[in-house]
Short mmCIF file of all heavy atoms in Angstrom, two decimals:
data_model
loop_
_atom_site.label_atom_id
_atom_site.label_comp_id
_atom_site.label_asym_id
_atom_site.label_seq_id
_atom_site.Cartn_x
_atom_site.Cartn_y
_atom_site.Cartn_z
N GLY A 304 -39.48 -46.47 11.82
CA GLY A 304 -40.05 -47.53 12.63
C GLY A 304 -40.15 -48.85 11.89
O GLY A 304 -40.64 -49.84 12.44
N LEU A 305 -39.70 -48.89 10.64
CA LEU A 305 -39.66 -50.14 9.89
C LEU A 305 -38.45 -50.94 10.37
O LEU A 305 -37.43 -50.37 10.74
CB LEU A 305 -39.52 -49.87 8.39
CG LEU A 305 -40.65 -49.08 7.73
CD1 LEU A 305 -40.29 -48.76 6.29
CD2 LEU A 305 -41.95 -49.86 7.79
N SER A 306 -38.57 -52.24 10.34
CA SER A 306 -37.44 -53.07 10.75
C SER A 306 -36.36 -53.04 9.66
O SER A 306 -36.63 -52.75 8.50
CB SER A 306 -37.89 -54.51 10.99
OG SER A 306 -38.25 -55.12 9.77
N ARG A 307 -35.13 -53.35 10.08
CA ARG A 307 -34.05 -53.43 9.08
C ARG A 307 -34.33 -54.55 8.10
O ARG A 307 -34.02 -54.43 6.92
CB ARG A 307 -32.70 -53.61 9.77
CG ARG A 307 -32.23 -52.32 10.41
CD ARG A 307 -30.81 -52.42 10.91
NE ARG A 307 -30.77 -53.39 12.01
CZ ARG A 307 -29.67 -53.90 12.52
NH1 ARG A 307 -28.51 -53.55 12.05
NH2 ARG A 307 -29.72 -54.75 13.51
N ALA A 308 -34.96 -55.62 8.57
CA ALA A 308 -35.31 -56.73 7.68
C ALA A 308 -36.30 -56.27 6.62
O ALA A 308 -36.16 -56.63 5.44
CB ALA A 308 -35.89 -57.89 8.49
N ARG A 309 -37.28 -55.46 7.02
CA ARG A 309 -38.26 -54.95 6.05
C ARG A 309 -37.59 -54.01 5.06
O ARG A 309 -37.88 -54.05 3.86
CB ARG A 309 -39.41 -54.24 6.78
CG ARG A 309 -40.47 -53.68 5.86
CD ARG A 309 -41.20 -54.74 5.07
NE ARG A 309 -42.25 -54.14 4.26
CZ ARG A 309 -42.71 -54.67 3.13
NH1 ARG A 309 -42.26 -55.82 2.70
NH2 ARG A 309 -43.65 -54.05 2.45
N MET A 310 -36.68 -53.16 5.53
CA MET A 310 -35.95 -52.27 4.62
C MET A 310 -35.14 -53.09 3.63
O MET A 310 -35.10 -52.76 2.43
CB MET A 310 -35.03 -51.33 5.40
CG MET A 310 -35.74 -50.19 6.09
SD MET A 310 -36.65 -49.10 4.96
CE MET A 310 -35.34 -48.50 3.91
N ASN A 311 -34.49 -54.14 4.09
CA ASN A 311 -33.73 -55.00 3.18
C ASN A 311 -34.64 -55.66 2.16
O ASN A 311 -34.30 -55.74 0.99
CB ASN A 311 -32.94 -56.06 3.95
CG ASN A 311 -31.69 -55.51 4.58
OD1 ASN A 311 -31.12 -54.53 4.09
ND2 ASN A 311 -31.26 -56.11 5.66
N GLU A 312 -35.78 -56.12 2.61
CA GLU A 312 -36.75 -56.73 1.70
C GLU A 312 -37.18 -55.73 0.63
O GLU A 312 -37.22 -56.05 -0.56
CB GLU A 312 -37.96 -57.23 2.49
CG GLU A 312 -39.01 -57.91 1.64
CD GLU A 312 -40.20 -58.37 2.46
OE1 GLU A 312 -40.08 -58.54 3.68
OE2 GLU A 312 -41.28 -58.54 1.85
N LEU A 313 -37.51 -54.51 1.04
CA LEU A 313 -37.99 -53.49 0.10
C LEU A 313 -36.91 -53.02 -0.88
O LEU A 313 -37.24 -52.59 -1.98
CB LEU A 313 -38.52 -52.28 0.87
CG LEU A 313 -39.81 -52.50 1.65
CD1 LEU A 313 -40.12 -51.29 2.52
CD2 LEU A 313 -40.97 -52.81 0.72
N THR A 314 -35.66 -53.12 -0.48
CA THR A 314 -34.59 -52.61 -1.34
C THR A 314 -33.88 -53.69 -2.14
O THR A 314 -33.21 -53.38 -3.12
CB THR A 314 -33.54 -51.83 -0.52
OG1 THR A 314 -33.03 -52.67 0.51
CG2 THR A 314 -34.15 -50.58 0.08
N LEU A 315 -34.07 -54.96 -1.76
CA LEU A 315 -33.33 -56.02 -2.43
C LEU A 315 -34.19 -57.01 -3.22
O LEU A 315 -33.70 -57.62 -4.16
CB LEU A 315 -32.51 -56.81 -1.40
CG LEU A 315 -31.44 -56.02 -0.66
CD1 LEU A 315 -30.80 -56.88 0.41
CD2 LEU A 315 -30.41 -55.47 -1.62
N HIS A 316 -35.45 -57.17 -2.85
CA HIS A 316 -36.28 -58.22 -3.45
C HIS A 316 -37.41 -57.62 -4.29
O HIS A 316 -38.31 -56.96 -3.76
CB HIS A 316 -36.86 -59.12 -2.37
CG HIS A 316 -35.81 -59.75 -1.51
ND1 HIS A 316 -34.95 -60.71 -1.97
CD2 HIS A 316 -35.46 -59.52 -0.22
CE1 HIS A 316 -34.12 -61.06 -1.01
NE2 HIS A 316 -34.40 -60.33 0.07
N ASP A 317 -37.37 -57.88 -5.59
CA ASP A 317 -38.37 -57.32 -6.51
C ASP A 317 -39.79 -57.80 -6.19
O ASP A 317 -40.75 -57.13 -6.56
CB ASP A 317 -38.03 -57.68 -7.95
CG ASP A 317 -36.87 -56.86 -8.47
OD1 ASP A 317 -36.76 -55.67 -8.10
OD2 ASP A 317 -36.06 -57.41 -9.24
N ARG A 318 -39.93 -58.93 -5.53
CA ARG A 318 -41.27 -59.43 -5.21
C ARG A 318 -41.91 -58.71 -4.04
O ARG A 318 -43.10 -58.87 -3.78
CB ARG A 318 -41.21 -60.93 -4.92
CG ARG A 318 -40.88 -61.76 -6.14
CD ARG A 318 -40.90 -63.21 -5.78
NE ARG A 318 -40.11 -63.44 -4.57
CZ ARG A 318 -39.21 -64.39 -4.41
NH1 ARG A 318 -39.00 -65.24 -5.38
NH2 ARG A 318 -38.55 -64.51 -3.29
N SER A 319 -41.14 -57.91 -3.32
CA SER A 319 -41.72 -57.19 -2.18
C SER A 319 -42.61 -56.06 -2.70
O SER A 319 -42.38 -55.52 -3.78
CB SER A 319 -40.63 -56.62 -1.27
OG SER A 319 -39.87 -55.66 -1.96
N HIS A 320 -43.61 -55.74 -1.94
CA HIS A 320 -44.55 -54.69 -2.33
C HIS A 320 -44.46 -53.55 -1.32
O HIS A 320 -44.70 -53.75 -0.13
CB HIS A 320 -45.98 -55.23 -2.40
CG HIS A 320 -46.16 -56.24 -3.47
ND1 HIS A 320 -46.28 -55.91 -4.80
CD2 HIS A 320 -46.19 -57.60 -3.43
CE1 HIS A 320 -46.40 -57.00 -5.53
NE2 HIS A 320 -46.35 -58.04 -4.72
N LEU A 321 -44.13 -52.39 -1.82
CA LEU A 321 -44.01 -51.19 -1.00
C LEU A 321 -45.40 -50.62 -0.75
O LEU A 321 -46.13 -50.29 -1.68
CB LEU A 321 -43.14 -50.16 -1.73
CG LEU A 321 -42.91 -48.81 -1.06
CD1 LEU A 321 -42.18 -48.98 0.26
CD2 LEU A 321 -42.10 -47.92 -2.00
N ARG A 322 -45.80 -50.55 0.51
CA ARG A 322 -47.11 -49.99 0.87
C ARG A 322 -47.03 -48.47 0.86
O ARG A 322 -45.97 -47.88 1.07
CB ARG A 322 -47.54 -50.51 2.23
CG ARG A 322 -47.77 -52.01 2.25
CD ARG A 322 -48.36 -52.48 3.57
NE ARG A 322 -47.57 -52.08 4.71
CZ ARG A 322 -46.82 -52.90 5.43
NH1 ARG A 322 -46.75 -54.16 5.13
NH2 ARG A 322 -46.14 -52.44 6.47
N ALA A 323 -48.16 -47.82 0.64
CA ALA A 323 -48.22 -46.37 0.58
C ALA A 323 -47.70 -45.74 1.87
O ALA A 323 -46.96 -44.75 1.83
CB ALA A 323 -49.65 -45.90 0.30
N GLU A 324 -48.06 -46.32 3.00
CA GLU A 324 -47.61 -45.78 4.29
C GLU A 324 -46.09 -45.84 4.40
O GLU A 324 -45.45 -44.93 4.92
CB GLU A 324 -48.24 -46.55 5.46
CG GLU A 324 -49.74 -46.45 5.53
CD GLU A 324 -50.44 -47.53 4.70
OE1 GLU A 324 -49.77 -48.39 4.09
OE2 GLU A 324 -51.67 -47.48 4.64
N GLU A 325 -45.51 -46.93 3.92
CA GLU A 325 -44.05 -47.10 3.97
C GLU A 325 -43.37 -46.09 3.05
O GLU A 325 -42.38 -45.46 3.45
CB GLU A 325 -43.66 -48.52 3.56
CG GLU A 325 -44.11 -49.57 4.54
CD GLU A 325 -43.96 -50.98 4.03
OE1 GLU A 325 -44.06 -51.21 2.80
OE2 GLU A 325 -43.73 -51.88 4.85
N LEU A 326 -43.90 -45.92 1.86
CA LEU A 326 -43.35 -44.94 0.92
C LEU A 326 -43.37 -43.55 1.54
O LEU A 326 -42.37 -42.83 1.48
CB LEU A 326 -44.13 -44.96 -0.39
CG LEU A 326 -43.63 -43.98 -1.45
CD1 LEU A 326 -43.66 -44.64 -2.82
CD2 LEU A 326 -44.40 -42.70 -1.46
N TYR A 327 -44.47 -43.19 2.16
CA TYR A 327 -44.60 -41.86 2.76
C TYR A 327 -43.58 -41.67 3.87
O TYR A 327 -42.90 -40.64 3.93
CB TYR A 327 -46.03 -41.69 3.28
CG TYR A 327 -46.33 -40.27 3.69
CD1 TYR A 327 -46.72 -39.32 2.75
CD2 TYR A 327 -46.22 -39.88 5.01
CE1 TYR A 327 -46.99 -38.02 3.12
CE2 TYR A 327 -46.48 -38.57 5.39
CZ TYR A 327 -46.87 -37.65 4.45
OH TYR A 327 -47.12 -36.35 4.82
N LEU A 328 -43.46 -42.65 4.76
CA LEU A 328 -42.50 -42.54 5.86
C LEU A 328 -41.06 -42.50 5.37
O LEU A 328 -40.24 -41.73 5.88
CB LEU A 328 -42.69 -43.72 6.83
CG LEU A 328 -43.97 -43.71 7.65
CD1 LEU A 328 -44.12 -45.02 8.41
CD2 LEU A 328 -43.99 -42.52 8.60
N ILE A 329 -40.75 -43.30 4.36
CA ILE A 329 -39.39 -43.31 3.81
C ILE A 329 -39.07 -41.95 3.19
O ILE A 329 -37.99 -41.41 3.37
CB ILE A 329 -39.21 -44.46 2.81
CG1 ILE A 329 -39.25 -45.80 3.55
CG2 ILE A 329 -37.91 -44.31 2.03
CD1 ILE A 329 -39.37 -47.01 2.65
N ALA A 330 -40.02 -41.39 2.47
CA ALA A 330 -39.82 -40.07 1.86
C ALA A 330 -39.53 -39.03 2.94
O ALA A 330 -38.61 -38.21 2.80
CB ALA A 330 -41.04 -39.67 1.04
N LEU A 331 -40.29 -39.05 4.01
CA LEU A 331 -40.05 -38.10 5.11
C LEU A 331 -38.67 -38.32 5.72
O LEU A 331 -37.96 -37.36 6.02
CB LEU A 331 -41.13 -38.26 6.19
CG LEU A 331 -42.55 -37.88 5.81
CD1 LEU A 331 -43.50 -38.16 6.97
CD2 LEU A 331 -42.65 -36.44 5.35
N ALA A 332 -38.27 -39.58 5.87
CA ALA A 332 -36.99 -39.90 6.49
C ALA A 332 -35.80 -39.45 5.65
O ALA A 332 -34.76 -39.09 6.19
CB ALA A 332 -36.90 -41.40 6.76
N VAL A 333 -35.95 -39.46 4.32
CA VAL A 333 -34.83 -39.06 3.45
C VAL A 333 -35.00 -37.63 2.95
O VAL A 333 -34.25 -37.17 2.09
CB VAL A 333 -34.62 -40.04 2.28
CG1 VAL A 333 -34.29 -41.43 2.80
CG2 VAL A 333 -35.80 -40.09 1.35
N ASP A 334 -36.00 -36.94 3.48
CA ASP A 334 -36.22 -35.51 3.21
C ASP A 334 -36.49 -35.22 1.74
O ASP A 334 -35.88 -34.34 1.13
CB ASP A 334 -35.02 -34.69 3.71
CG ASP A 334 -35.39 -33.22 3.88
OD1 ASP A 334 -36.56 -32.92 4.15
OD2 ASP A 334 -34.49 -32.37 3.72
N VAL A 335 -37.40 -36.01 1.15
CA VAL A 335 -37.88 -35.75 -0.20
C VAL A 335 -39.40 -35.70 -0.15
O VAL A 335 -40.02 -36.23 0.78
CB VAL A 335 -37.42 -36.80 -1.24
CG1 VAL A 335 -35.91 -36.83 -1.35
CG2 VAL A 335 -37.96 -38.17 -0.93
N LYS A 336 -40.00 -35.08 -1.14
CA LYS A 336 -41.46 -35.04 -1.21
C LYS A 336 -41.97 -36.43 -1.55
O LYS A 336 -41.44 -37.10 -2.45
CB LYS A 336 -41.91 -34.06 -2.28
CG LYS A 336 -41.60 -32.62 -1.96
CD LYS A 336 -42.08 -31.71 -3.06
CE LYS A 336 -41.73 -30.27 -2.73
NZ LYS A 336 -42.09 -29.37 -3.83
N PRO A 337 -43.00 -36.90 -0.85
CA PRO A 337 -43.55 -38.22 -1.15
C PRO A 337 -43.93 -38.38 -2.62
O PRO A 337 -43.73 -39.46 -3.19
CB PRO A 337 -44.77 -38.32 -0.23
CG PRO A 337 -44.40 -37.45 0.94
CD PRO A 337 -43.64 -36.30 0.33
N CYS A 338 -44.42 -37.34 -3.25
CA CYS A 338 -44.78 -37.41 -4.67
C CYS A 338 -43.56 -37.67 -5.54
O CYS A 338 -43.64 -38.39 -6.53
CB CYS A 338 -45.48 -36.13 -5.12
SG CYS A 338 -47.11 -35.93 -4.39
N ASP A 339 -42.42 -37.09 -5.16
CA ASP A 339 -41.19 -37.31 -5.93
C ASP A 339 -40.73 -38.76 -5.81
O ASP A 339 -40.29 -39.36 -6.79
CB ASP A 339 -40.08 -36.36 -5.46
CG ASP A 339 -40.37 -34.91 -5.81
OD1 ASP A 339 -41.24 -34.65 -6.67
OD2 ASP A 339 -39.73 -34.03 -5.20
N LEU A 340 -40.83 -39.32 -4.61
CA LEU A 340 -40.45 -40.72 -4.42
C LEU A 340 -41.42 -41.63 -5.17
O LEU A 340 -40.99 -42.58 -5.82
CB LEU A 340 -40.41 -41.07 -2.94
CG LEU A 340 -39.97 -42.49 -2.58
CD1 LEU A 340 -38.61 -42.83 -3.18
CD2 LEU A 340 -39.95 -42.68 -1.08
N LEU A 341 -42.70 -41.31 -5.14
CA LEU A 341 -43.69 -42.11 -5.87
C LEU A 341 -43.39 -42.07 -7.37
O LEU A 341 -43.44 -43.09 -8.05
CB LEU A 341 -45.10 -41.60 -5.60
CG LEU A 341 -46.24 -42.32 -6.31
CD1 LEU A 341 -46.29 -43.79 -5.90
CD2 LEU A 341 -47.56 -41.64 -6.03
N GLU A 342 -43.05 -40.90 -7.88
CA GLU A 342 -42.70 -40.77 -9.30
C GLU A 342 -41.48 -41.61 -9.64
O GLU A 342 -41.43 -42.28 -10.67
CB GLU A 342 -42.45 -39.30 -9.64
CG GLU A 342 -42.03 -39.04 -11.08
CD GLU A 342 -43.15 -39.26 -12.08
OE1 GLU A 342 -44.32 -39.11 -11.72
OE2 GLU A 342 -42.83 -39.59 -13.24
N ALA A 343 -40.49 -41.61 -8.77
CA ALA A 343 -39.29 -42.41 -9.00
C ALA A 343 -39.60 -43.91 -8.99
O ALA A 343 -39.00 -44.66 -9.76
CB ALA A 343 -38.23 -42.08 -7.95
N MET A 344 -40.54 -44.33 -8.14
CA MET A 344 -40.86 -45.75 -8.04
C MET A 344 -41.80 -46.22 -9.16
O MET A 344 -41.71 -47.35 -9.62
CB MET A 344 -41.53 -46.06 -6.69
CG MET A 344 -40.70 -45.80 -5.46
SD MET A 344 -39.18 -46.72 -5.39
CE MET A 344 -38.02 -45.47 -5.92
N CYS A 345 -42.72 -45.35 -9.58
CA CYS A 345 -43.79 -45.79 -10.47
C CYS A 345 -43.89 -44.97 -11.76
O CYS A 345 -44.84 -45.16 -12.53
CB CYS A 345 -45.13 -45.69 -9.74
SG CYS A 345 -45.21 -46.66 -8.25
N GLY A 346 -42.96 -44.10 -12.02
CA GLY A 346 -43.03 -43.20 -13.17
C GLY A 346 -43.03 -43.89 -14.52
O GLY A 346 -43.48 -43.33 -15.51
N ASP A 347 -42.58 -45.15 -14.55
CA ASP A 347 -42.53 -45.85 -15.84
C ASP A 347 -43.84 -46.58 -16.16
O ASP A 347 -44.00 -47.12 -17.24
CB ASP A 347 -41.38 -46.84 -15.84
CG ASP A 347 -41.50 -47.90 -14.76
OD1 ASP A 347 -42.14 -47.63 -13.73
OD2 ASP A 347 -40.92 -48.99 -14.94
N LEU A 348 -44.80 -46.55 -15.24
CA LEU A 348 -46.09 -47.22 -15.48
C LEU A 348 -46.94 -46.39 -16.44
O LEU A 348 -46.97 -45.18 -16.35
CB LEU A 348 -46.85 -47.42 -14.17
CG LEU A 348 -46.18 -48.31 -13.13
CD1 LEU A 348 -47.01 -48.32 -11.85
CD2 LEU A 348 -46.01 -49.71 -13.67
N LYS A 349 -47.62 -47.05 -17.34
CA LYS A 349 -48.48 -46.40 -18.32
C LYS A 349 -49.81 -47.11 -18.39
O LYS A 349 -49.90 -48.32 -18.16
CB LYS A 349 -47.84 -46.40 -19.71
CG LYS A 349 -46.45 -45.79 -19.78
CD LYS A 349 -46.52 -44.30 -19.56
CE LYS A 349 -45.12 -43.72 -19.62
NZ LYS A 349 -44.87 -42.66 -18.73
N LEU A 350 -50.85 -46.38 -18.72
CA LEU A 350 -52.17 -46.97 -18.92
C LEU A 350 -52.18 -47.73 -20.23
O LEU A 350 -51.55 -47.32 -21.20
CB LEU A 350 -53.25 -45.88 -18.96
CG LEU A 350 -53.51 -45.14 -17.65
CD1 LEU A 350 -54.50 -44.00 -17.90
CD2 LEU A 350 -54.02 -46.09 -16.58
N GLU A 351 -52.94 -48.81 -20.25
CA GLU A 351 -53.13 -49.56 -21.50
C GLU A 351 -54.12 -48.80 -22.35
O GLU A 351 -55.08 -48.22 -21.87
CB GLU A 351 -53.64 -50.96 -21.20
CG GLU A 351 -52.62 -51.81 -20.48
CD GLU A 351 -53.12 -53.22 -20.29
OE1 GLU A 351 -53.98 -53.68 -21.07
OE2 GLU A 351 -52.63 -53.87 -19.36
#
């Protein structure tokens, strides 16, 4: 239900911010576990 423009923004522009709801829906749409997609997007983040 996301627009093609929003998908382009999320996949092409680093300044775009992926919302949790969007991540969850995208994971369902591509048949992966939401946790796996979250790990792929944010796995390089570390606590200071």
Side-chain angles (χ1 to χ4, degrees):
L305 298 173
S306 69
R307 285 189 294 168
R309 180 63 177 154
M310 284 300 300
N311 282 333
E312 181 181 338
L313 291 172
T314 57
L315 298 174
H316 303 290
D317 286 324
R318 292 183 310 227
S319 64
H320 295 283
L321 178 63
R322 295 187 306 253
E324 298 88 2
E325 293 169 329
L326 181 139
Y327 190 84
L328 290 171
I329 291 168
L331 294 177
V333 299
D334 199 29
V335 299
K336 293 180 181 176
C338 292
D339 292 343
L340 182 55
L341 180 61
E342 178 70 28
M344 298 300 100
C345 301
D347 60 334
L348 298 176
K349 305 291 180 216
L350 292 174
E351 293 184 25

